[in-house]
Amino acid sequence: MDGISVDALHRREGSKLQRFLLRRLGNPTDAADATQETYLRMLAALSRTRVEHPTALLFRIAHNVALRTRNRRRLEQRLFADEGEVDLAEAVDGFALPERQSIARQELKRLAAAVDELPPRCREVFLLSRFDGLANGEIATRLGISRNMVEKHIIKALLQCRRRLDDF
């Protein structure tokens, strides 16, 4: 990235980037966090490689950060539903005892922690598969990896989740 600093890129593209993320995330707080994450990743990328089109890279990184943020938000909404919402125990048994509801919530929290501990690419593949319902081929195409690698990530994630749940 000869002659262009991240600071100059921020001055030139900062407001466009903020609007871009706000449109995708629909929330100014998430957009601000995603903007900061985008610049951090941009700095990391620039330290590893020469970039010919810094603006394109910046917006590609922002797109990926927005996807991860949305996926994370969806996961949290599903896993940490309010008391008034139907939880897993009630979905299975409409007359679930409070103890069973509490156990189901604890298991969901452990599951969320297990997913959170996964390496970023593995977590992304798992969320796309299990929460967005994408087929392995679609995930492979979207992320630019092989279908075999998608399957390996899913297996790794499932094993991690099972270990985490079995630990308690």
Side-chain angles (χ1 to χ4, degrees):
M1 185 163 127
D2 299 330
I4 297 178
S5 70
V6 173
D7 186 47
L9 189 61
H10 178 264
R11 281 192 306 271
R12 191 178 70 218
E13 303 295 338
S15 60
K16 280 192 250 179
L17 180 66
Q18 187 72 26
R19 286 190 308 273
F20 174 85
L21 289 166
L22 183 58
R23 277 192 313 273
R24 278 159 179 71
L25 298 172
N27 175 325
T29 303
D30 286 345
D33 289 345
T35 300
Q36 194 171 33
E37 178 71 19
T38 298
Y39 284 115
L40 287 172
R41 290 178 186 216
M42 184 72 173
L43 281 169
L46 292 174
S47 70
R48 291 187 311 262
T49 187
R50 183 176 178 278
V51 177
E52 292 196 27
H53 303 287
T55 302
L57 178 61
L58 181 71
F59 281 88
R60 172 44 73 186
I61 292 170
H63 173 76
N64 291 340
V65 168
L67 281 176
R68 286 192 177 125
T69 301
R70 275 197 325 246
N71 288 340
R72 181 75 178 159
R73 190 183 324 138
R74 271 192 226 128
L75 174 65
E76 288 171 351
Q77 286 172 347
R78 287 182 179 174
L79 295 179
F80 302 110
D82 290 339
E83 292 288 325
E85 294 181 29
V86 175
D87 66 6
L88 287 184
E90 286 180 61
V92 174
D93 177 4
F95 303 100
L97 299 172
E99 296 87 11
R100 288 181 60 199
Q101 292 174 359
S102 177
I103 290 168
R105 272 193 201 88
Q106 289 171 357
E107 287 180 353
L108 284 173
K109 287 179 183 177
R110 285 196 301 269
L111 180 61
V115 171
D116 202 34
E117 292 171 359
L118 293 170
R121 179 58 67 138
C122 185
R123 180 175 52 243
E124 183 177 20
V125 168
F126 183 73
L127 293 174
L128 288 171
S129 172
R130 294 302 189 250
F131 290 93
D132 289 346
L134 296 181
N136 292 357
E138 291 175 88
I139 296 169
T141 301
R142 181 181 282 192
L143 300 180
I145 59 176
S146 70
R147 189 181 180 127
N148 186 38
M149 198 67 212
V150 169
E151 291 167 0
K152 286 180 181 181
H153 283 307
I154 292 171
I155 290 168
K156 181 178 182 174
L158 290 172
L159 289 172
Q160 168 74 11
C161 292
R162 178 168 304 261
R163 274 193 305 272
R164 184 69 181 241
L165 290 174
D166 289 344
D167 286 345
F168 292 92

